[in-house]
Amino acid sequence: RENDWARVLQAAQSIKTDNERDAAPWQYWQARALEALGKKPEAASMYANITQHTTFYGFLAADHLGQDYRTLADAPVDRQQRVAGLQRVAAVQRAFEWFALGEREQGRKEWFRALTPMDQPGKLAAAELALTSGDPNLAIWTLSRAKAWGEVNLRFPVVHADLVQKQAAAQGVLPAWVLGVMRRESAFDATAASSANAFGLMQLILPTAKDVGRKLGISINTKDDVFPLETNVQLGSAYLAQMLTRFNGDYAQATAAYNAGPGRPPQWSPRQTLSADQWVESIPFTETRDYVQAVMAYTTIYDYRLNEGKGRRLSERLPPIAPNAKKLSPDP
């Protein structure tokens, strides 16, 4: 945040643990520091180490090098034979019977017990079976058991595409952004209810839903009014549009506001214009920092998927963050 790149480099190089030192965030910031200090070949080498990651840092590293997002171009794997075999497994059949009876929790227990002895290809086939059976949330959680983070087509299914496209167009926001928020908020579980009393695909709290609903002419009285798919996506898309307008089209700040509330980003305003990656990295709330990085990466992935490989670069949606003239308190 202070552009003290010599200290950033020193901090990165002083990390003792190999796993932490080799993690994408530190690799990225070490490269940024090297680049700022005029050591471009060394920086390029470090950026290249993480360009295969389908993450905030991986995409930004590719942008610094001017490389394509190669991992997004991988063709889907044909798993039809393995999927057909799974459909004959008794435990998998029992899980689907529980789902058909409306006993989702029992079904999930049966499903994840069936996953335990499977190898990674088996778990990936199970994720595909869940997805083709209309349960993207189960597919995502199944994929997490396989730890196959590069399986973009399974990790980031395009869900409720027509509804998202319709509401995104009506509210004037990117459908990829709506999907990115939805993927992070609920992993496409339309019944999700958080401990913070946020509900549905886009995890809206009741006061926000009521406020946005009034502006749209939609009556929202109880949480049951927030869950229906079309209403939830309409309200969530409209709220995203409000945040984007409030922050003058700045996606990083609007995304932070969706998570932490619109009053927070102005409190994190820099003293002087700051690059967006520095601003995001210095968000003082770990949850919001991780949230913004995830949603911006997910938006990039969905933009690529919705536009058949012709989506925009992540860095194109991350303009520098200017100081807030109304901010009186010192930086946190």
Side-chain angles (χ1 to χ4, degrees):
R1 193 175 177 95
E2 296 179 8
N3 292 304
D4 190 343
W5 296 109
R7 288 182 64 195
V8 171
L9 186 60
Q10 182 183 24
Q13 293 177 338
S14 68
I15 295 172
K16 304 297 184 185
T17 307
D18 289 345
N19 287 342
E20 187 176 6
R21 186 172 57 249
D22 294 339
W26 279 113
Q27 291 270 315
Y28 177 79
W29 286 109
Q30 190 168 341
R32 283 279 275 117
L34 287 165
E35 188 174 37
L37 294 170
K39 300 178 180 180
K40 292 188 177 181
E42 294 174 60
S45 177
M46 299 214 74
Y47 284 136
N49 289 340
I50 57 173
T51 55
Q52 77 278 13
H53 293 215
T54 50
T55 64
F56 182 77
Y57 300 105
F59 293 140
L60 286 181
D63 287 352
H64 276 276
L65 296 177
Q67 293 183 358
D68 292 337
Y69 300 151
R70 293 190 297 268
T71 51
L72 299 186
D74 292 343
V77 176
D78 184 357
R79 300 187 177 92
Q80 291 184 359
Q81 186 173 355
R82 192 75 183 255
V83 168
L86 283 175
Q87 291 173 313
R88 296 191 292 271
V89 173
V92 171
Q93 292 176 346
R94 286 195 299 270
F96 280 117
E97 289 295 334
W98 282 118
F99 294 147
L101 290 169
E103 296 288 346
R104 184 162 179 78
E105 190 58 34
Q106 288 294 337
R108 286 174 69 89
K109 287 179 180 178
E110 192 77 63
W111 179 269
F112 287 113
R113 275 197 295 268
L115 288 183
T116 301
M118 291 184 191
D119 57 10
Q120 188 185 62
K123 291 172 183 174
L124 292 176
E128 186 161 320
L129 175 58
L131 186 58
T132 56
S133 299
D135 197 334
N137 179 264
L138 184 63
I140 289 166
W141 282 106
T142 300
L143 189 69
S144 72
R145 298 294 179 92
K147 302 186 185 301
W149 312 125
E151 289 285 337
V152 173
N153 293 301
L154 290 176
R155 270 188 80 199
F156 300 97
V158 179
V159 177
H160 309 302
D162 291 343
L163 174 59
V164 169
Q165 296 272 12
K166 173 186 172 183
Q167 293 302 334
Q171 302 304 329
V173 295
L174 284 171
W177 192 30
V178 176
L179 283 168
V181 169
M182 201 183 293
R183 170 64 173 78
R184 177 66 177 187
E185 289 285 357
S186 66
F188 303 118
D189 180 0
T191 67
S194 75
S195 58
N197 292 318
F199 309 113
L201 285 171
M202 300 194 72
Q203 289 291 278
L204 296 161
I205 61 173
L206 192 55
T208 298
K210 286 181 176 181
D211 181 63
V212 176
R214 276 193 297 270
K215 295 172 183 175
L216 295 174
I218 301 172
S219 178
I220 303 294
N221 298 305
T222 70
K223 67 179 183 180
D224 291 335
D225 298 324
V226 184
F227 279 109
L229 284 177
E230 184 149 2
T231 301
N232 196 276
V233 176
Q234 184 178 11
L235 294 172
S237 299
Y239 188 55
L240 282 174
Q242 290 179 21
M243 294 303 98
L244 195 61
T245 298
R246 181 167 184 153
F247 292 98
N248 301 312
D250 189 293
Y251 282 90
Q253 292 187 85
T255 301
Y258 192 94
N259 175 261
R264 293 292 186 178
Q267 296 177 22
W268 306 328
S269 175
R271 295 187 183 91
Q272 58 187 7
T273 299
L274 197 67
S275 68
D277 58 351
Q278 289 171 268
W279 183 83
V280 171
E281 195 70 58
S282 63
I283 291 174
F285 293 173
T286 301
E287 177 190 336
T288 303
R289 184 170 63 251
D290 292 346
Y291 182 91
V292 173
Q293 291 171 354
V295 168
M296 294 311 300
Y298 296 176
T299 299
T300 301
I301 293 167
Y302 277 114
D303 195 28
Y304 187 99
R305 296 207 66 192
L306 291 173
N307 292 288
E308 298 180 349
K310 297 178 181 178
R312 293 175 64 192
R313 313 286 299 192
L314 172 56
S315 55
E316 292 180 50
R317 294 200 178 91
L318 293 175
I321 308 294
N324 179 1
K326 297 180 180 179
K327 181 175 178 257
L328 301 177
S329 58
D331 286 337

